[in-house]
Structures are given as C-alpha cells and as structure tokens.
Amino acid sequence: MTAAADKRRILRASAAALLVAALVLVTAVLPAEYGWDPLGTGEALGLMGMSEAGETALRAQPGRWRSDAITFALEPFEAVEYKYRLQAGDAMLYRWSSDTQVLFDMHAEPDGAAPGYAETFAKARSDSGGGSYTAPFDGIHGWFWQNRTQQRATVTLETRGYYASATEFRDGREFEYELTGDAKDQP
C-alpha cells in the first residue's frame, strides 16, 4: 500500500467514526441527558427524561449546621419536654443519656395542628437513646422525659442538625432558646 492509500483509509475511518458519534449524540445522548429529541428517537427508545432528578439519597439542607447540648435535673416524678423547630426534610443527629431509667417519648407537633395533637415516633423506658431523625413535616420535634423513680435523674441531650431554635417545656412554662452556635465538627 502506498502512503496516499493509507491516508485515504485513515480519513474514511475517521469520517465514519465521526458520523457514528454524531448519530449516537442525536439519537441517544441529547434526548437522555438534555431532554432534546430532534429525531424523535429518544421518545421511541424511552430515553427522554433520564437526566431529570429523581429520588436520591442526598438532600441539600438550606439551613446552617448547628449543635446543642443541654442537661436536665429531674426530681422524682418530674418531667421536661425539649423540642427543636425543624422544617420538613431537615435532619438531626441526636444522643441522650440518663443516670437512671426514665420514661421518654420522641414526638413532633405539626404546624397548624389542633392543640395537644402530636405524632409519636418512639416511646419506652430507657437510660439512653441515639440516632438520626428527619422531620416529616414543619413543626416542633423532640422529646418528653419523665423521672418515675424515687431518686433524682439527670438527662443529657446532645444534638447536631439543621435547626435554629429550641423550646423547653417545664412546670407549665415555655423557655425559648435561639441556637446561634455552629457545629464545628461532625458528631
């Protein structure tokens, strides 16, 4: 073969590869990735909308990552509630412990719900708990602890998450806490 024949062969192969690439771009890539279907092949092949965001394990959080830690002393048969203001989808990591077993109820009150209405997510007697929580709706979300022993109980709560305020309910009173400290490290 001559050098001129080799050049023609390389040019023909390059042109064929470019044509195949353009065909794949127009028939598959543009409909699947960009939702543009100039030939109608994307619809026929079921490729339209593949790039649209669907369910994902990741969710961007609009608020600031904060931390909070608080300790409650509960005399015999005394109770306290501590709740965070969360929007639907906001996440929180938590850990609580007590030096004696207490009755706890992790629950939430949706914004606009009838007075006294709450959804309970966990209720038991224990001396500790921990995990993650994602708010199913806008409202206040948190815990009720009651000391049902004859001795004093100390409950400590540590949280990190996307909230700006907390409310303590004790002895028929409410105490609002504006939480301004950002979490500097991961829990």
Side-chain angles (χ1 to χ4, degrees), residues 65-146:
W65 179 249
R66 301 197 189 276
S67 65
D68 185 32
I70 191 162
T71 299
F72 306 100
L74 299 176
E75 297 302 325
F77 300 96
E78 188 177 27
V80 67
E81 265 187 287
Y82 196 76
K83 297 180 181 175
Y84 295 95
R85 167 129 320 263
L86 296 168
Q87 301 301 310
D90 285 351
M92 174 173 60
L93 299 175
Y94 68 91
R95 177 178 53 213
W96 69 267
S97 62
S98 176
D99 57 359
T100 187
Q101 197 174 74
V102 292
L103 174 68
F104 79 91
D105 181 348
M106 197 298 177
H107 61 280
E109 299 171 31
D111 287 344
Y117 174 79
E119 288 191 32
T120 295
F121 302 104
K123 187 174 184 177
R125 289 179 191 253
S126 184
D127 61 0
S128 64
S132 65
Y133 175 76
T134 301
F137 45 77
D138 296 355
I140 55 173
H141 308 257
W143 295 265
F144 167 86
W145 292 281
Q146 185 178 40

